[in-house]
Amino acid sequence: RRPSSIALGLVVAGAFLASRADARAFSFGRAWDPKKKKPWGVLPGLPPAPGNNAQLFASRLRRFAKTTTFQGGVLFGAADTIAQTLQREGPFDTRRATSFAAFGAFYVGTVGTAWYRWIDTVAPSGTVKGLLTKVVTTWLVLGAAGNCVNMTYQRLAETRDFARAVEYTRTHVKEVILNDLKIWPAFDTFLFTVVPPPLRPTTLICVSLCWNSYVSMASHQQPAVASAAPPAPKL
């Protein structure tokens, strides 16, 4: 039972939901026009599509590469590659990296994108109250809850046992959350007060790459093997 089907499903779902959350970046230029009943009626405000199928596909591909779904998949895949390189625990695990990349495509392309856009509208950063609301709620949703979901998913993809995945997360997530508190609230304060909204996803990539490498390593710690006790001396 390989996780390839789960990975593919997450990528497809993330791409679809990202198209709803980030329509400007994900727009294909043309879409179905129900009034004219033409398959490629031009939508208002969107540039016309290329003239042939090859150019249309290339245009779609370039636009997809700009979405947070694609960026999240690349980010998490690179983070796990770094983690496996640092851990040096046998040959490179392609399934593990692919699974983590699929989770990143779904998580960044849907939850992360939607959250930062929503929190910008309900809690403007112009006041101290708004800034504190952003930082605290972002840590609770993307920090505490996000790390739990992240670790549980990785363990589930590896062990295929939900109970073991939850137990591992319950045992190891406390240290991850404490380390999260040392980094992300301060970074989010900087993000919300200094970085312009259009540049925030790109700014997040730098810190997220390092952080998700750490979370990947924390999610794949090998249990310590107890050394055999020496035999008791004969009396």
Side-chain angles (χ1 to χ4, degrees), residues 18-144:
S19 68
R20 308 278 75 82
D22 196 4
R24 180 175 298 179
F26 197 80
S27 63
F28 288 169
R30 291 171 179 254
W32 178 268
D33 188 343
K35 294 182 179 179
K36 297 181 179 180
K37 296 183 179 180
K38 295 180 180 179
W40 292 104
V42 180
L43 291 178
L46 295 179
N52 58 61
N53 291 334
Q55 291 176 337
L56 177 60
F57 177 78
S59 176
R60 292 178 177 182
L61 192 63
R62 285 194 300 269
R63 287 186 172 125
F64 177 70
K66 296 178 181 179
T67 63
T68 52
T69 300
F70 178 81
Q71 294 169 1
V74 173
L75 172 66
F76 276 59
D80 186 74
T81 299
I82 294 173
Q84 292 195 49
T85 303
L86 295 175
Q87 284 180 307
R88 300 178 181 275
E89 296 177 351
F92 183 79
D93 191 341
T94 306
R95 291 171 59 186
R96 167 181 158 179
T98 303
S99 178
F100 198 38
F103 177 81
F106 178 81
Y107 182 74
V108 176
T110 57
V111 178
T113 300
W115 174 259
Y116 278 108
R117 290 192 174 191
W118 178 79
I119 200 65
D120 276 336
T121 61
V122 300
S125 301
T127 64
V128 176
K129 180 181 179 181
L131 177 61
L132 289 176
T133 301
K134 275 186 173 183
V135 172
V136 173
T137 55
T138 298
W139 180 82
L140 289 173
V141 173
L142 301 184

